[in-house]
């Protein structure tokens, strides 16, 4: 009972496809997905530059936003280039803010000399900003505006 039904579906699909192709061919002309003629140059969308300079926190516990470019700084299982400027051992000479001391506490609250594993992937919490139109609108207000 089931077999003819299953065979029927591909046949129907193929014939619909063929009919579709025939219509597309007869309507003539290829339409570019770019919305312009193929020979025409199309202006590239504006590239939104990263905001430089330190930004005010929106609520007291907010991880500070990153005020500099980060695409060159590798973070993986072994390497963390952020630490080459922000670790307490080097921050002074690199003139960078030292990692928060909370980043040197393990899960049990013990003080460590090296950054805790839970803080290894910095951009889990710290992100740069770009002044671009929102992809999804929102009505977020900093906590200071709520007072
Ligand atoms: C070449 C050195 C250098 C490297 C590498 C570096 N930073 Fe920085 N970072 C700085 C300096 C210098 C500042 C201070 C900038 C200022 O005051 O305008 C800063 C500021 C920051 C701040 C702001 C802190 C605050 O209190 O406002 C954050 C967060 C930060 N960096 C995160 C990172 C992360 C995450 C990485 C790795 C992806 C990284 N940085 C890599 C030099 C560096
Ligand atoms: C789990 C989230 C989290 C991760 C991961 C994390 N941070 Fe933070 N960071 C914070 C928060 C929250 C603060 C502010 C509150 C505090 O001091 O703990 C902060 C503060 C800082 C500050 C400012 C310190 C100061 O005194 O002004 C710097 C610099 C910083 N982090 C750099 C880093 C770097 C570099 C890494 C990666 C090695 C990193 N953080 C990983 C959440 C995180």
């Amino acid at each position: 009972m089931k077999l003819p039904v299953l065979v029927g579906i591909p046949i129907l699909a193929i014939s619909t496809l063929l009919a579709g192709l025939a219509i597309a061919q007869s309507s003539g002309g290829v339409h570019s997905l770019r919305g312009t003629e193929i020979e025409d140059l199309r202006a590239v969308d504006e590239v939104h530059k990263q905001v430089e300079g330190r930004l005010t926190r929106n609520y007291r516990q907010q991880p500070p936003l990153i005020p500099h470019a980060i695409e060159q700084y590798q973070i993986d299982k072994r390497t963390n280039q952020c630490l080459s400027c922000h670790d307490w051992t080097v921050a002074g000479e690199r003139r960078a803010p030292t990692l928060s001391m909370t980043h040197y506490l393990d899960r049990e609250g013990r003080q460590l000399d090296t950054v805790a594993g839970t803080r290894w992937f910095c951009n889990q919490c710290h992100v740069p900003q770009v002044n671009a139109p929102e992809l999804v609108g929102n009505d977020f207000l900093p906590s200071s505006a709520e007072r």
Side-chain angles (χ1 to χ4, degrees):
M1 222 9 233
K2 276 194 177 150
L3 195 61
V5 178
L6 288 178
V7 172
I9 293 170
I11 290 174
L12 183 67
I14 290 168
S15 53
T16 318
L17 181 72
L18 288 176
L21 282 178
I23 294 169
Q25 283 216 321
S26 62
S27 63
V30 178
H31 296 288
S32 142
L33 289 176
R34 304 190 307 158
T36 55
E37 291 305 318
I38 296 187
E39 314 78 61
D40 293 345
L41 286 177
R42 185 173 183 275
V44 179
D45 291 338
E46 191 195 337
V47 175
H48 298 284
K49 296 254 162 55
Q50 195 189 309
V51 176
E52 300 270 336
R54 284 167 92 165
L55 292 141
T56 308
R57 296 186 202 191
N58 290 302
Y59 50 97
R60 191 170 49 80
Q61 307 88 337
Q62 182 186 342
L65 294 161
I66 305 178
H68 54 68
I70 58 165
E71 63 268 22
Q72 306 289 329
Y73 304 142
Q74 172 92 7
I75 309 178
D76 60 32
K77 206 172 133 196
R78 287 199 198 95
T79 316
N80 182 327
Q81 295 188 339
C82 314
L83 295 175
S84 68
C85 290
H86 287 287
D87 190 53
W88 69 273
T89 52
V90 289
E93 68 200 51
R94 305 308 297 261
R95 298 181 193 284
T98 308
L99 288 187
S100 164
M101 289 302 129
T102 58
H103 295 26
Y104 296 100
L105 294 177
D106 71 5
R107 282 178 212 271
E108 280 73 45
R110 282 186 297 253
Q111 303 268 358
L112 309 170
D113 251 6
T114 51
V115 66
T118 49
R119 306 283 186 160
W120 184 258
F121 292 101
C122 318
N123 37 25
Q124 223 177 299
C125 304
H126 298 280
V127 288
Q129 294 293 288
V130 159
N131 191 7
E134 299 152 322
L135 292 176
V136 178
N138 73 82
D139 49 16
F140 175 83
L141 285 176
S143 61
S144 56
E146 288 290 327
R147 267 186 234 139

